[in-house]
Amino acid sequence: MNARTEPAPAGSDATARPPHVIARPPLVRELLLVAGLFLVYKLGRQLATGHTGEAFRNAHRVWDFERAVHLPGEGAVQSLLLHGDALVRVANTYYATVHFPATVAFLVWLYLRRPAHYVWARRVLAAVTAVALALHLLFPLAPPRMLAATGLVDTARVYGPSVYGDPATDSLSNQFAAMPSLHFGWALMVAIGLIVATRSRWRLLWLLHPLLTLLVIVGTANHYWLDAIVATALLGLALAVVHVPHRTATTAGRAQGGLVPAQGRTEEQALAGAGR
């Protein structure tokens, strides 16, 4: 019996955990980290309040820049939603209710089912959120629904439901934090993470989530096109910096129920063939 076929010593890591099993980070630590991420998101938005004049000046700059580079008008998307009251209410509801739950469900599912992908996904989301909050402080921006020059309707206020109160008295949220759009940045990250971590032939359909989110945030006049473009750029930088594991059968969920990795099967098959 040579070194390749000798059994590992009792109690060693090789026998304690199969090679394909990925250890999950401690649950309590992850709950605290994720809770902290959302808390910083909420508190950070409130830190930028009190910059109304600067936020409207920046809004005019963004609007003029978009027209100068010939980006499509946000009004074209809104006009589609305004064809029916039911459609615009669905869009408002999507904006108000999907953002946080979808992201939380994504992280929970990765933690439980794809731990090999959980850590990098959480790091990317944290990095994007941190940089976005810094930009919200440095570049306060009134959304297009507040800018008379856009001619857009505040669909949430007119048709409901709305997650925002009167900007003058709303102390629970910073309504001048339009750029970048974390609604779109998080939705795009959810889609990318699920595409990388799953093996379904239909997995590219996850891109419908950020696409629908983009149409909703623009059509409801909560964001400019440029807000989504900047969020995409930030996400691209975060993905370039954070190590993303290579997609394999194991990390995509194909190896289940104690199956050994492909390399291990190849070696075992070779040894079995040699002994015949």
Side-chain angles (χ1 to χ4, degrees):
M1 185 178 291
N2 53 36
R4 175 177 253 178
T5 59
E6 285 181 357
S12 69
D13 290 341
T15 58
R17 179 183 299 145
H20 68 280
V21 175
I22 307 297
R24 295 186 181 91
L27 179 59
V28 173
R29 187 192 72 181
E30 292 307 308
L31 289 175
L32 292 175
L33 286 173
V34 173
L37 172 65
F38 284 95
L39 182 62
V40 169
Y41 172 77
K42 296 299 291 183
L43 293 179
R45 288 169 66 90
Q46 296 181 42
L47 291 176
T49 57
H51 301 282
T52 303
E54 185 181 358
F56 277 97
R57 287 191 295 272
N58 289 334
H60 282 286
R61 295 187 185 104
V62 168
W63 183 255
D64 291 341
F65 176 78
E66 287 191 344
R67 308 291 76 80
V69 299
H70 304 292
L71 286 177
E74 286 83 351
V77 179
Q78 185 169 94
S79 64
L80 296 175
L81 296 182
L82 294 179
H83 277 305
D85 291 359
L87 183 59
V88 72
R89 288 194 182 100
V90 169
N92 291 335
T93 302
Y94 190 95
Y95 179 86
T97 62
V98 173
H99 177 48
F100 278 106
T103 308
V104 171
F106 165 68
L107 289 174
V108 170
W109 185 83
L110 284 183
Y111 182 85
L112 295 176
R113 302 297 301 273
R114 301 291 187 273
H117 292 281
Y118 169 78
V119 173
W120 73 265
R122 186 250 294 155
R123 287 173 178 169
V124 169
L125 281 171
V128 170
T129 303
V131 176
L133 293 178
L135 289 177
H136 291 165
L137 295 173
L138 296 173
F139 192 77
L141 179 65
R145 58 187 166 81
M146 295 184 183
L147 195 63
T150 66
L152 297 172
V153 175
D154 185 346
T155 61
R157 181 178 60 82
V158 175
Y159 297 93
S162 176
V163 294
Y164 300 120
D166 186 333
T169 58
D170 184 4
S171 60
L172 297 178
S173 60
N174 171 28
Q175 298 189 45
F176 301 122
M179 181 184 292
S181 169
L182 284 177
H183 265 77
F184 181 74
W186 286 9
L188 184 57
M189 178 56 208
V190 168
I192 291 174
L194 290 173
I195 289 171
V196 174
T198 57
R199 61 186 180 90
S200 169
R201 69 179 65 182
W202 304 104
R203 62 184 180 278
L204 290 180
L205 291 178
W206 286 113
L207 291 173
L208 292 175
H209 175 47
L211 176 60
L212 183 58
T213 299
L214 177 61
L215 295 178
V216 165
I217 64 176
V218 171
T220 58
N222 280 292
H223 286 283
Y224 306 89
W225 294 113
L226 202 57
D227 300 338
I229 293 172
V230 172
T232 303
L234 290 180
L235 180 58
L237 289 174
L239 289 170
V241 172
V242 176
H243 172 68
V244 179
H246 293 295
R247 178 184 169 80
T248 65
T250 299
T251 59
R254 180 172 297 175
Q256 300 289 343
L259 297 179
V260 297
Q263 182 180 359
R265 289 197 301 269
T266 302
E267 290 183 358
E268 289 178 3
Q269 290 165 358
L271 290 173
R276 289 177 182 172

